[in-house]
Amino acid sequence: MDTDPLKQYRYFLKDSIRKKIVFQYIWVAVPYRMEWRYGLAAHKVIALDAGHVCQNLYLACEAVNAGTCAIAAYDQEELDELLGLDGENEFAVYLAPVGKIR
């Protein structure tokens, strides 16, 4: 499997898969909101929080017979631009498409 994150992201969003996605969660971080409280540990806490929330998404999907796949390999600049984020003070950290399982 190719380990290039951009190729993986584009593969995941190819037409055959995109048609099965009902909606997409995208986690965005604003580090300043964590840095005042957690200092140097803020970036670790952001990653942990995103992971915990995503784990709950997996549990919720299972409960309604849906599926998800957390993605951390994507083109950072492309996604930030798509969302209108500046990429420095606010940026995407995680995304997870959700779709119905047959």
Side-chain angles (χ1 to χ4, degrees), residues 18-92:
R18 187 177 10 212
K19 293 175 184 174
K20 297 176 184 176
I21 296 173
V22 177
F23 57 90
Q24 174 111 356
Y25 280 99
I26 303 174
W27 285 264
V28 174
V30 181
Y32 173 76
R33 293 182 184 166
M34 299 291 275
E35 289 167 350
W36 71 270
R37 181 177 191 136
Y38 296 106
L40 294 175
H43 297 280
K44 179 178 81 169
V45 175
I46 290 169
L48 286 168
D49 285 352
H52 292 141
V53 173
C54 190
Q55 181 61 37
N56 281 292
L57 176 61
Y58 271 91
L59 294 170
C61 286
E62 181 67 25
V64 296
N65 198 31
T68 189
C69 178
I71 301 172
Y74 50 86
D75 183 316
Q76 187 71 52
E77 291 178 6
E78 187 177 336
L79 186 58
D80 287 345
E81 183 180 333
L82 177 71
L83 298 173
L85 307 173
D86 66 19
E88 290 184 25
N89 297 313
E90 53 185 0
F91 47 86

